[in-house]
Amino acid sequence: MESDEQPPVEVPRFMGRQIPPLDRLLIMIIPPVLIVAAVIWVIVNPNGAAAAISMLRTFVTGEFTWLFIVYSLVALIVCIWAAFSKFGKVRLGGPKAKPLHGRFAWYSMLFACGQGIGLIFWSVAEPIMLRDDNPVIPVVGTGGAEEGAIVWTYFHWGLTAWAMYCVVALCLAYSHHNLGKTLTFREATVDILPKKVQRPAGVVIELLAIIATVLGLATSFGFAAMQFGSGITSFTGLESGPVMWMIVIGAFAAVTGISAFVGINKGMARLSGLNSILSIILVVAVFIFGPTIYMLSTMTQTFGTFGQHFLSMSFFTDFQLAAGSLDTWQDSWNGWWTVFIWCWVIAFSPFVAGFVARISRGRTIREFVLGVTVVPSLIVMVWVGVIGVASIYYDDQLGRSISEQVAADTSSGLFAMLDQIPVIGTILLVVATVLVATYYITSLDAGTYALGEFVTAPRKSSPVFRVVLVVSIGTVATVLLSIGGEAVVDTVQTGTIIGAFPFSFVILLMIANLIRRLHKRNKQIRRMERAINDPDPNLVLIPDPDGEGFVESPDDATTVSSRPPGSGDNLS
């Protein structure tokens, strides 16, 4: 028996499967080899790579638009079920678990890693690009399709997108905090499969998650550098180009490396808090100094239109295109927008969901679902209702000059709009540029933590290893930008999004496994949840050889066995 003076053990206790050495070797070696091969292919033959990836995107769009629409609806329905069923009372981490972070810090971190950089980019670009033509929403009055443009932006970055992140994060969070599994897709998924295929399936699932995370972060790194460069240009006049991009990547990597080394509770929480404060300042300033009455009127109307047409937008597949073969994905509105964005969300789910799951210990499932879906969705709608609406207003006042700038450089839209805000426009340009940096750094920080977990589980990744990951991702981004520029980065990113197609099947399996696990949650499982989250060092748990919980003493049904492994019969 260990001494009572020993420090409490770290919870949750590990109850998952030990990865065989060969599997671990494959997980560590194959991703970098495939990523290097993909980067070389795109750099050596950019036109051929772009053509092949475009053909795959056309195939996915033409044949499987319905699948992505159904997937998004499944995610939303499962979130509603989880929150309002009897399972909503289940607490992540057991009945005695306490939240690790306050509500403001929690909301700040999940929003920053989930959508911050995407919303900064698209909150102006999407309304401007859709203002003349979009489906489902009827044109009212003598104006154009501006109302539909705003409503579709609410839809693409609001409730459904967050439900897609939430359902994946919930699968990982329950698996890790309540069942003692590693925070990996492998252990959240494979036990629903036949035992003969669990091991190879686990390796494939983990490889997909790691590759999607690395390429997603690297290409986003490239685009963040370019958008940050556009922000610098907007208030300094300095030309944005490869030299500035390299400096930006180096600075981003340095700050992220420090944050990753310091730790999630200090580095990420502080950066996310800064994000939230700057975001509030930006939105409030635009609301006060911009076209306030126009924004209030537009938000009032578009919030109602969003509620009225939500189901129609959710089910929209543009089915007429299915009557023939699609020549190119560019002929499909969904190919440009809904399918593209849903694929983006699926491709980014590995690191976003992994991070959200990690920081959500102590929340009930109901609190978790509402916090990860409803609150961020309301923030998105207010953000778009201020920033996006202001961009349409100033676009009209300037004879569509913002539309012209967005057409030339999508990343410049936000800065073109802010430049028109009277009195404090220049200050807001600086604030927005800083936000681009802090939002991406927090996303990279979250991705580094998740990636470290995927690679090293069940061992925790060390701070030094996380810094190495940051440097590696920055190096991939640097190579892509320095050799091929925006075209190469765009090609690799599109390829990453296509990778969402096979990964969507993994997530559907994981969702089915979550439902199975919750329905199997009997008295024995609840006792296990309490035991694996008990910090008492005198309590010794023996993981089941099959990875399903722990071995308990047959002569005492209320206690957990403290016998050493192999000292008695194992009960599955």
Side-chain angles (χ1 to χ4, degrees):
M1 186 72 68
E2 295 177 321
S3 170
D4 291 338
E5 297 180 358
Q6 284 188 310
V9 299
E10 185 175 355
V11 294
R13 299 163 183 261
F14 173 58
M15 288 287 137
R17 295 174 172 84
Q18 290 288 347
I19 303 177
L22 176 60
D23 295 11
R24 182 176 298 282
L25 186 65
L26 293 174
I27 289 171
M28 297 187 71
I29 291 179
I30 291 178
V33 171
L34 292 179
I35 289 165
V36 170
V39 170
I40 291 174
W41 176 47
V42 174
I43 291 172
V44 172
N45 186 15
N47 294 331
I53 290 174
S54 180
M55 183 179 67
L56 287 173
R57 185 171 177 181
T58 298
F59 171 75
V60 169
T61 301
E63 302 296 327
F64 294 100
T65 290
W66 64 271
L67 175 65
F68 292 111
I69 299 301
V70 170
Y71 171 86
S72 68
L73 291 167
V74 168
L76 185 59
I77 291 168
V78 171
C79 285
I80 295 171
W81 167 78
F84 296 104
S85 70
K86 64 179 181 180
F87 303 113
K89 297 179 181 179
V90 175
R91 188 171 298 277
L92 300 173
K96 295 183 179 181
K98 302 296 182 184
L100 298 174
H101 306 281
R103 290 187 182 274
F104 180 78
W106 185 52
Y107 292 139
S108 297
M109 286 192 286
L110 68 90
F111 189 82
C113 80
Q115 270 188 4
I117 192 66
L119 196 59
I120 283 277
F121 193 94
W122 289 105
S123 58
V124 170
E126 183 166 350
I128 289 294
M129 295 171 74
L130 290 180
R131 63 169 303 179
D132 291 320
D133 181 44
N134 53 77
V136 179
I137 312 298
V139 175
V140 179
T142 58
E146 291 90 353
E147 182 179 7
I150 295 296
V151 172
W152 273 108
T153 308
Y154 293 159
F155 177 76
H156 285 144
W157 299 98
L159 182 61
T160 305
W162 278 101
M164 292 164 71
Y165 283 136
C166 179
V167 73
V168 180
L170 180 58
C171 294
L172 293 173
Y174 182 76
S175 177
H176 177 61
H177 295 301
N178 292 62
L179 302 182
K181 310 292 186 180
T182 55
L183 198 56
T184 61
F185 281 76
R186 176 184 64 253
E187 290 218 296
T189 306
V190 296
D191 52 332
I192 198 175
L193 299 173
K195 288 193 175 182
K196 289 183 179 180
V197 302
Q198 286 182 5
R199 180 178 172 184
V203 173
V204 172
I205 288 169
E206 216 59 27
L207 291 177
L208 287 172
I210 291 170
I211 292 169
T213 301
V214 172
L215 290 180
L217 289 172
T219 52
S220 292
F221 212 153
F223 281 118
M226 289 185 282
Q227 189 175 27
F228 186 82
S230 296
I232 294 291
T233 300
S234 69
F235 62 86
T236 66
L238 294 174
E239 183 179 354
S240 178
V243 174
M244 182 182 291
W245 297 341
M246 297 308 111
I247 294 173
V248 170
I249 288 176
F252 283 8
V255 175
T256 307
I258 293 171
S259 179
F261 190 84
V262 169
I264 187 174
N265 292 321
K266 295 180 180 179
M268 181 69 172
R270 290 173 181 172
L271 280 174
S272 299
L274 175 62
N275 284 343
S276 296
I277 293 170
L278 290 178
S279 297
I280 292 170
I281 291 172
L282 182 66
V283 171
V284 170
V286 172
F287 181 76
I288 292 174
F289 290 91
T292 306
I293 301 302
Y294 181 78
M295 287 186 284
L296 285 172
S297 299
T298 306
M299 280 193 285
T300 302
Q301 182 168 321
T302 53
F303 277 26
T305 303
F306 174 76
Q308 180 183 357
H309 292 283
F310 178 77
L311 282 179
S312 298
M313 292 187 291
S314 298
F315 282 89
F316 178 69
T317 61
D318 202 5
F319 70 90
Q320 293 89 345
L321 290 177
S325 60
L326 193 65
D327 293 331
T328 172
W329 62 267
Q330 295 172 324
D331 294 335
S332 165
W333 188 89
N334 271 323
W336 281 101
W337 295 103
T338 304
V339 170
F340 168 77
I341 294 171
W342 286 179
C343 285
W344 179 290
V345 172
I346 293 169
F348 277 62
S349 289
F351 78 83
V352 172
F355 180 76
V356 170
R358 175 179 287 281
I359 65 173
S360 298
R361 178 181 174 81
R363 310 281 175 186
T364 64
I365 287 180
R366 180 172 295 118
E367 183 184 9
F368 176 86
V369 171
L370 295 178
V372 179
T373 57
V374 176
V375 173
S377 299
L378 292 174
I379 295 172
V380 165
M381 293 178 73
V382 171
W383 180 288
V384 174
V386 173
I387 303 295
V389 169
S391 68
I392 289 178
Y393 175 85
Y394 288 119
D395 195 36
D396 284 337
Q397 299 298 309
L398 299 169
R400 297 292 185 101
S401 69
I402 294 179
S403 292
E404 292 174 1
Q405 292 185 62
V406 168
D409 179 5
T410 313
S411 67
S412 67
L414 175 64
F415 306 109
M417 184 278 290
L418 292 176
D419 198 35
Q420 302 305 314
I421 302 293
V423 183
I424 59 170
T426 302
I427 296 175
L428 295 184
L429 289 173
V430 177
V431 171
T433 303
V434 173
L435 268 176
V436 171
T438 54
Y439 269 128
Y440 183 71
I441 288 169
T442 49
S443 292
L444 182 58
D445 204 356
T448 301
Y449 270 89
L451 185 60
E453 193 83 21
F454 298 155
V455 175
T456 65
R459 299 190 301 271
K460 290 192 175 296
S461 59
S462 69
V464 174
F465 181 70
R466 292 195 294 270
V467 172
V468 170
L469 291 177
V470 172
V471 173
S472 301
I473 293 167
T475 300
V476 174
T478 301
V479 170
L480 293 174
L481 275 177
S482 61
I483 296 179
E486 184 174 357
V488 167
V489 175
D490 188 47
T491 298
V492 176
Q493 186 179 53
T494 302
T496 303
I497 293 168
I498 290 172
F501 174 62
F503 205 72
S504 64
F505 294 99
V506 172
I507 297 174
L508 288 171
L509 267 178
M510 189 164 61
I511 292 171
N513 199 33
L514 171 69
I515 295 171
R516 182 187 71 88
R517 283 172 163 178
L518 288 174
H519 277 295
K520 282 181 59 179
R521 190 174 178 271
N522 53 24
K523 184 181 292 186
Q524 181 181 355
I525 297 296
R526 291 195 293 271
R527 187 168 71 249
M528 183 184 76
E529 290 178 10
R530 291 192 296 271
I532 66 175
N533 285 287
D534 189 336
D536 182 3
N538 295 314
L539 181 65
V540 179
L541 304 184
I542 307 171
D544 189 296
D546 293 326
E548 294 288 339
F550 57 85
V551 178
E552 55 185 329
S553 173
D555 56 357
D556 187 351
T558 62
T559 60
V560 179
S561 173
S562 59
R563 295 172 299 172
S567 62
D569 295 331
N570 289 345
L571 301 179
S572 57

